[in-house]
Every structure is written in C-alpha cells, then in structure tokens.
Amino acid sequence: MSGGEQKPKRYYVGVDVGTGSVRAALVDQSGVLLAFADHPIEKWEPQFNHHEQSSEDIWAACCVVTKKVVQGIDLNQIRGLGFDATCSLVVLDKEFHPLPVNHEGDSRRNVIMWLDHRAVSQVNRINETKHSVLQYVGGVMSVEMQAPKLLWLKENLRETCWDKAGHFFDLPDFLSWKATGVTARSLCSLVCKWTYSAEKGWDDSFWKMVGLEDFVADNYSKIGNQVLPPGASLGNGLTPEAARDLGLLPGIAVAASLIDAHAGGLGVIGADVRGHGLVCEGQPVTSRLAVICGTSSCHMGIDHMVQGHAAFPELQAKATARCQSVYAYLNSHLDLIKKAQPVGFLTVDLHVWPDFHGNRSPLADLTLKGMVTGLTLSQDLDDLAILYLATVQAIALGTRFIKEAMEAAGHSISTLFLCGGLSKNPLFVQMHADITGVALSCTGMPVVLSQEVESVLVGAAILGACASGDFASVQEAMAKMSKVGKVVFPRQEDKKYYDKKYQVFLKLVEHQMEYLAIMNDD
C-alpha cells in the first residue's frame, strides 16, 4: 500500500464446546492462533448411561472464554464468529426456556449429551424398521443419534418435557441461535445426526414409522425447516444481547455451525501440502482422511485402561516428580524397556479391542464391549506401560478398520490428517502412521499434523471467516487458514508385524460377536 500503510488485520473468533469444557480462540486471516481460553462445564450422570448438561451453563462458559480471547483487541477488527460443539440434544419450550430431560424434573439439566445411551430400546425398534434413511447412517442407527433420544423423551417424559417442547436443537445449532436469534439449522448437524437429506430434505415416512409423526404435523418447525450450509451467514449477525454477553460488537457475522469433529476436519484437511512429498498433493480432498483424536475416539478408552491399573498411583507419583504428564512418562518408560526391538513389538502377546462404550464406526454396535487378551499376573509399571501401548495400537487399528470399510465402499484414501489432544502424543501419531496401511498391499500412511495444534478452533474460526465474506468459499478459507506443521512417515520395516496385529484385532471382534450370539440365543 502507498505511504507504507498496512492493511488492517482481520480476526475471527472460534468457539468449541467439548464434553468437559468450552474453548475459544482468536485467529487471524492467515490461520494463526493469537489467543486461547478454556472454561469447564458441568455434567450430570443421574443414573447409568444417562448423561446430561445445561445449555445455560454452556452458554455462560462460551461468554467467559470469548471475552478472554478478545481482550486488548480492537473489536472493529473482529469480522466473524463460528461455533462447533458435540452432537448433544438441547430441549427448550415454546418460549425458548430449558425443559428437563430427566425424571427428577430439573429443567436446568436440559441437554442429553452425545454419549448418553438411555435410548437403547428405542434405537433397536428404529433399526428393526429397516427404513431406507438408515442407509445414510451406515445401515443401522447409533443410540447416540437424535431420533432414538427424541423417542425416549416422548415415551418417558411426556408431560414434563415432550408436550411442552417447542424446540429441539443439536448443540451447535443452539449456540448459533443463541448468538443470532435465528433458528435455522446447519446442514452438518441434520444430515449426520437427524436423518435429513441434503437432496430430499426430511422423509415424512420415517418419522411416522418410528412414532414421531408429531414433527411431520408441524412441518418440522421443532427440529428445523430452514437449513443452511456450514459457514453461511445467519440473519443480521450477532444480536445486541449476545454481543453484550460475549464482549463483542453487535452485527458481527455469525456462521451456521459444525459438529466438533467436523470443525477439526475443516481446520486441518484443506491445508496446502505442496513441498512435503505427499501422494495427496494435487489429488481431490476426498483422498484425505481427518482423524479427530478427542474424547469420543481415544481419551476415554486410554484413561480407563491407565487409571484402572494397580500401578497407576506409582505412575502418577513418578510423572509428577518429573513434571510430566502420565502419558509422556509412559512413552519414555516404553523406550527404556523396549531393549533392542522396536517399541511396538512389546505387545506381541497383548491385544486390545477398545470399544468399552460400544462401537460407533464402522459397526455401529452399541452392545460391543472392550476386550484384552494376553494378560498375566504382573501388575507393575512395565505391565501398565505395555497395556497403554496396546491400547494406543488398538485405537490406530480401529482407524485402519474404518479406513478399510470406507475403501470397500469406493473411497480412495492416501493420507491421514490428525488433530485433537492426542495428536500431541508422538507415540499415538507414529502408531497411526505405522498401522493404517491396507493389509498385504502397502505400508502405513503418512500422518499430517497441523501447524496449529488447536485445529478444531481454527475450523470454527474458518466458519466465522466464511460468514464474514472475507473468503469466496469454505475451500479458499481452508487453503489460506490451515497449514501443515509436520509430516510423520510410517516405518516400513514394521509392516509385517502390524499386519499380524490387525488380523488378531479382527479376530477379537469376531469372537466377541460369536459369544454374544451364544449368550443371547433363546
């Protein structure tokens, strides 16, 4: 620019609502994360498999973190706001007040969390219909989707919740409504969790068949009859009330939202990979698979295995003494005990099936349980470290299982893009690189890590950037705002070993299905 003037910086705020906390980031137009904040949110488990939250508590946390990340910034330079969240179900009455999703009648607890498995009977009945919409969710519906939870509310909380309800939101859509007053839903949420079709819209026959004909009668006003693509600008932007809550200016562009995992994909998968020697360079984005390594895919299983071991107190004490996380300590301990062999070979006799809370993909079977084979009487720190390693490997083997199911359906995937908490763990990343090749045909797959570790927040900020109009498309915003930080390549010499581990992995689920069939045989 003439006279040495510089073009004013443009900033975007991304807000990510996870299972246990809300996080926010201030991101510039180059995708650089300039400020970060997080705040815990409440969770309730009134009985087994019932998991609840509060939409008011979640919104209050959104306000806390947003105010923190914009401190000291000229608010006129903040161009857009984007939200992502877990696929939890928010229930409000006709005046948008919270309604109870529990037998106690506590209206503060008006959110059925994504991991809630209360609707087992309902999802089984839905799957028994074999309705054609099920082909779009893998052939069978997961208990974590919204239709079975809605049916549970109708059958169990008719008077206190169902009859009074005016609005059922996916949590990401609740947040965009709270910010703008616009009840339009994101195409992302409705397609992935509600059986909506981008081409055909709602299928009346499905809702009538499963006993939720109420939605058809009111033209789907309670679950969404205006649907927008992620990143679309909503209404007139941020309302004055929401602007005061968040510490922003009224009218800032607010985007149609995304599910949290999809925001992670948005923040990493579109990166410019030129110069890194990757097969996916110049190929369609569909040759890339984003793996969001957060609570639902990894953390709960690993925490369960590590924290439940007899040697965990010793691990905690030693990790604390070194000012390390327990996982950093375990990684270093594995290096000490591996001797001359590759670290992965320590699990030659120990194998894990990691679906302690059922399988979401590719089997969508909530009855599956975790399995460990090869246990000994040892309970020392070495034993814990090897069990941790076997669990990490099991998660990577699960990624390979998903990838092969996708390839059997016609996809061609050459590169993994990892983000989320466990992408910071070098052992987790290397295991994914080594393990994810197709059996007997190739080595593992290169793993791309984003320059910004908080890729989910970058993805949410990209939504805000799109809503602002500063980029012509989501694709352009991804290319400009997501960047490659590091590429981890597979160790080809370990391929034969992991092919064998994968065959054992498949045998574990095969045997589990066999004994479940035996035990359930009347």
Side-chain angles (χ1 to χ4, degrees):
M1 297 179 66
S2 60
E5 296 180 9
Q6 291 188 343
K7 188 175 181 180
K9 281 257 187 183
R10 295 179 174 185
Y11 303 115
Y12 314 97
V13 174
V15 178
D16 164 51
V17 178
T19 300
S21 67
V22 176
R23 309 178 312 144
L26 182 72
V27 181
D28 70 15
Q29 72 266 37
S30 299
V32 177
L33 195 150
L34 303 170
F36 169 87
D38 63 352
H39 192 81
I41 47 179
E42 291 187 84
K43 293 178 287 184
W44 290 269
E45 188 179 357
Q47 62 190 85
F48 179 66
N49 272 339
H50 288 228
H51 298 268
E52 299 165 5
Q53 289 182 314
S54 161
S55 64
E56 291 184 345
D57 175 60
I58 290 169
W59 179 251
C62 291
C63 298
V64 169
V65 293
T66 302
K67 286 177 179 176
K68 285 183 178 179
V69 299
V70 300
Q71 285 180 352
I73 298 294
D74 180 354
L75 297 182
N76 290 292
Q77 293 179 270
I78 298 176
R79 302 272 299 160
L81 171 65
F83 292 98
D84 73 77
T86 63
C87 303
S88 299
L89 178 66
V90 183
V91 186
L92 305 176
D93 68 15
K94 296 173 179 63
E95 287 74 42
F96 296 95
H97 298 135
L99 284 171
V101 295
N102 48 76
H103 292 294
E104 294 81 8
D106 183 354
S107 59
R108 177 171 164 78
R109 290 154 40 201
N110 70 315
V111 178
I112 300 180
M113 291 181 67
W114 65 270
L115 66 131
D116 186 288
H117 282 192
R118 70 182 67 184
V120 172
S121 170
Q122 289 75 17
V123 79
N124 287 339
R125 280 181 273 141
I126 290 171
N127 285 326
E128 286 170 1
T129 68
K130 300 189 184 303
H131 194 282
S132 59
V133 300
L134 299 178
Q135 68 183 302
Y136 300 112
V137 294
V140 291
M141 183 173 286
S142 165
V143 70
E144 294 174 3
M145 294 184 71
Q146 307 300 18
K149 293 174 180 175
L150 292 164
L151 188 56
W152 187 93
L153 290 172
K154 183 176 181 178
E155 294 177 348
N156 291 273
L157 300 177
R158 184 96 192 210
E159 294 183 3
T160 57
C161 179
W162 184 261
D163 289 344
K164 296 178 180 179
H167 308 275
F168 298 97
F169 285 103
D170 220 78
L171 182 53
D173 292 326
F174 164 80
L175 297 171
S176 59
W177 163 75
K178 191 73 174 174
T180 65
V182 176
T183 59
R185 304 316 204 263
S186 167
L187 186 65
C188 174
S189 298
L190 293 195
V191 168
C192 294
K193 295 293 177 177
W194 296 73
T195 76
Y196 186 85
S197 167
E199 297 177 354
K200 302 175 183 177
W202 296 114
D203 189 318
D204 294 354
S205 66
F206 169 74
W207 297 102
K208 292 176 181 177
M209 185 177 289
V210 301
L212 292 170
E213 63 282 346
D214 320 49
F215 296 137
V216 181
D218 69 8
N219 193 31
Y220 301 99
S221 63
K222 292 182 180 179
I223 61 174
N225 52 21
Q226 182 188 3
V227 185
L228 296 173
S233 183
L234 292 171
N236 297 315
L238 205 58
T239 65
E241 180 182 2
R244 286 193 298 272
D245 288 347
L246 295 165
L248 299 171
L249 297 179
I252 287 174
V254 178
S257 60
L258 274 176
I259 296 168
D260 53 352
H262 295 236
L266 193 68
V268 68
I269 206 167
D272 184 350
V273 298
R274 287 177 294 182
H276 292 279
L278 294 169
V279 177
C280 65
E281 182 179 337
Q283 298 297 314
V285 72
T286 50
S287 68
R288 308 178 182 190
L289 179 63
V291 181
I292 317 303
C293 314
T295 304
S296 59
S297 65
C298 316
H299 281 172
M300 290 192 300
I302 293 177
D303 286 348
H304 174 72
M305 296 297 271
V306 171
Q307 295 174 9
H309 195 280
F312 181 65
E314 178 188 354
L315 169 64
Q316 270 190 311
K318 290 185 173 180
T320 300
R322 285 194 188 176
C323 298
Q324 287 182 310
S325 72
V326 292
Y327 300 114
Y329 187 93
L330 286 171
N331 290 350
S332 61
H333 191 77
L334 286 168
D335 284 334
L336 286 176
I337 64 176
K338 71 177 183 179
K339 300 178 181 176
Q341 62 184 337
V343 69
F345 286 38
L346 288 168
T347 60
V348 65
D349 296 319
L350 187 67
H351 311 279
V352 173
W353 178 267
D355 289 330
F356 303 101
H357 197 56
N359 180 275
R360 297 175 91 186
S361 180
L363 302 175
D365 188 341
L366 64 90
T367 67
L368 291 179
K369 305 294 190 291
M371 297 176 67
V372 183
T373 180
L375 292 172
T376 70
L377 292 175
S378 173
Q379 291 187 317
D380 61 13
L381 192 55
D382 288 1
D383 181 71
L384 171 52
I386 294 170
L387 182 62
Y388 155 72
L389 172 62
T391 306
V392 170
Q393 290 174 338
I395 293 168
L397 289 163
T399 302
R400 176 165 167 170
F401 192 26
I402 293 168
K403 172 180 169 286
E404 290 192 5
M406 293 177 68
E407 291 180 332
H411 297 275
S412 179
I413 299 164
S414 64
T415 311
L416 294 182
F417 288 71
L418 261 61
C419 69
L422 276 173
S423 68
K424 304 170 191 176
N425 183 329
L427 177 71
F428 184 89
V429 175
Q430 189 64 59
M431 288 297 107
H432 269 77
D434 293 345
I435 285 171
T436 49
V438 178
L440 306 178
S441 65
C442 72
T443 59
M445 300 178 70
V447 171
V448 177
L449 302 176
S450 176
Q451 181 174 298
E452 291 291 348
V453 175
E454 301 294 349
S455 298
V456 175
L457 284 167
V458 173
I462 286 174
L463 291 176
C466 294
S468 74
D470 290 346
F471 297 93
S473 66
V474 171
Q475 289 80 4
E476 181 189 354
M478 284 196 297
K480 295 287 180 61
M481 294 179 67
S482 58
K483 294 179 172 59
V484 174
K486 182 180 180 182
V487 178
V488 177
F489 289 95
R491 294 173 293 209
Q492 299 183 15
E493 62 273 16
D494 297 347
K495 171 184 159 26
K496 185 176 179 180
Y497 174 75
Y498 289 119
D499 282 347
K500 290 181 178 180
K501 289 282 291 187
Y502 185 58
Q503 294 308 308
V504 174
F505 182 80
L506 296 179
K507 283 291 184 183
L508 290 179
V509 70
E510 181 182 322
H511 291 323
Q512 184 173 168
M513 288 178 168
E514 287 176 357
Y515 78 65
L516 285 173
I518 292 170
M519 296 305 295
N520 292 326
D521 186 6
D522 295 330

